[in-house]
Amino acid sequence: MSRSNAPHGRTGRPPVTSRAQILDAARRLIDRDGWEKLSIRRLAAELGIGTMTLYHHVRDKEDLLLLLITEYADQVPRPDLPGDPRDRIIATATLVHDALAAWPWAAEVLTVDGFVGRLGESVWMVETIVAGAIDQGCTPEQAVHVFRHIWYYTVGEILVRAHSAHQPADDGRPADQAPLFSGLDKSRMPRLVAVGDQWRTLSAQDTYPQGLRALVDGLLAQFAPETSRKPRSIRS
């Protein structure tokens, strides 16, 4: 059929058929209102289309979140990883941490049971950590536990920092100038009262790398003691 004889499409707003358009609009809603308030109805309104039209592209909210996170994970470059299994685990966990720190709402979504297993090829980072633990001498079952402990530590650190950053300034907490725990009985809580004036400063420090190394070394020493190396310094 020639172009001149082809049937004309409808006029007005063009139909939304692009996944990129849908995901861009979903990200805008999440950035503005949070992922909990994202819904198919609100997304359709944002795009200016009918809800049923949007259902031709995504099944439900969970499917939409999965598409968003998978697309984001696919954009994370695969770096050249160390040959040493322990160092490979640490490098990969750091990559996961840094990627999710830029998108903390995704970390919260991924805490739902089974969500990680639906990410398809994007779970290569999980594979790398599990494989590194096995190469270090863990059984497959132990390697899964190694990953789970690292995952909980990583996601927990990201979510605590993200939620702390969004705390309103006037939420009934003591002013920043007042030492934390200053209202406690010093005779009963001497250690907390003593460190209270440093607590906020210490809590704001980025100790994830040191904690990750200590956690990985401890897990490998527990699960695969016969292949674990000598204890490393905190800077290694």
Side-chain angles (χ1 to χ4, degrees):
M1 179 181 295
S2 68
R3 181 178 296 273
S4 59
N5 293 329
H8 294 290
R10 67 179 181 179
T11 59
R13 182 187 293 271
V16 176
T17 57
S18 166
R19 172 182 288 189
Q21 288 176 286
I22 294 171
L23 297 184
D24 284 345
R27 281 192 292 269
R28 286 197 304 271
L29 286 175
I30 290 173
D31 291 342
R32 189 174 70 211
D33 304 321
W35 72 273
E36 300 93 337
K37 294 184 178 180
L38 178 67
S39 69
I40 298 299
R41 184 180 299 275
R42 294 189 70 191
L43 180 57
E46 178 78 9
L47 290 163
I49 61 174
T51 303
M52 295 310 298
T53 300
L54 189 54
Y55 276 122
H56 288 301
H57 302 279
V58 292
R59 290 190 301 272
D60 49 29
K61 175 180 176 177
E62 186 174 290
D63 185 42
L64 177 60
L65 291 171
L66 186 64
L67 287 172
L68 280 166
I69 295 173
T70 301
E71 181 194 53
Y72 181 65
D74 287 343
Q75 293 173 0
V76 176
R78 299 195 186 196
D80 293 330
L81 294 171
D84 178 78
R86 177 260 191 186
D87 294 341
R88 194 159 65 244
I89 292 171
I90 291 173
T92 306
T94 301
L95 187 68
V96 172
H97 173 271
D98 293 348
L100 289 177
W103 244 24
W105 69 265
E108 195 155 0
V109 172
L110 289 171
T111 60
V112 177
D113 286 342
F115 219 103
V116 170
R118 297 178 57 195
L119 293 179
E121 292 296 319
S122 300
V123 297
W124 67 265
M125 289 173 274
V126 180
E127 163 71 18
T128 301
I129 292 174
V130 171
I134 293 174
D135 291 345
Q136 190 69 18
C138 294
T139 65
E141 293 79 8
Q142 290 170 337
V144 172
H145 289 308
V146 168
F147 168 75
R148 287 177 64 247
H149 287 302
I150 293 172
W151 175 243
Y152 295 160
Y153 170 61
T154 300
V155 171
E157 198 268 353
I158 289 169
L159 293 183
V160 167
R161 289 195 177 277
H163 292 169
S164 298
H166 288 90
Q167 280 281 0
D170 184 16
D171 61 355
R173 294 178 302 168
D176 286 348
Q177 292 78 9
L180 207 63
F181 311 122
S182 58
L184 295 179
D185 184 344
K186 186 175 181 179
S187 65
R188 298 180 60 191
M189 308 283 184
R191 305 303 183 203
L192 290 180
V193 173
V195 78
D197 60 343
Q198 305 175 57
W199 192 277
R200 290 189 179 88
T201 299
L202 295 173
S203 296
Q205 294 176 354
D206 180 10
T207 58
Y208 176 81
Q210 298 96 311
L212 175 64
R213 289 193 291 268
L215 176 62
V216 170
D217 287 342
L219 291 170
L220 294 179
Q222 175 185 349
F223 289 134
E226 68 279 1
T227 60
S228 295
R229 302 182 181 189
K230 296 180 180 178
R232 300 170 185 250
S233 68
I234 193 68
R235 295 182 179 273
S236 65

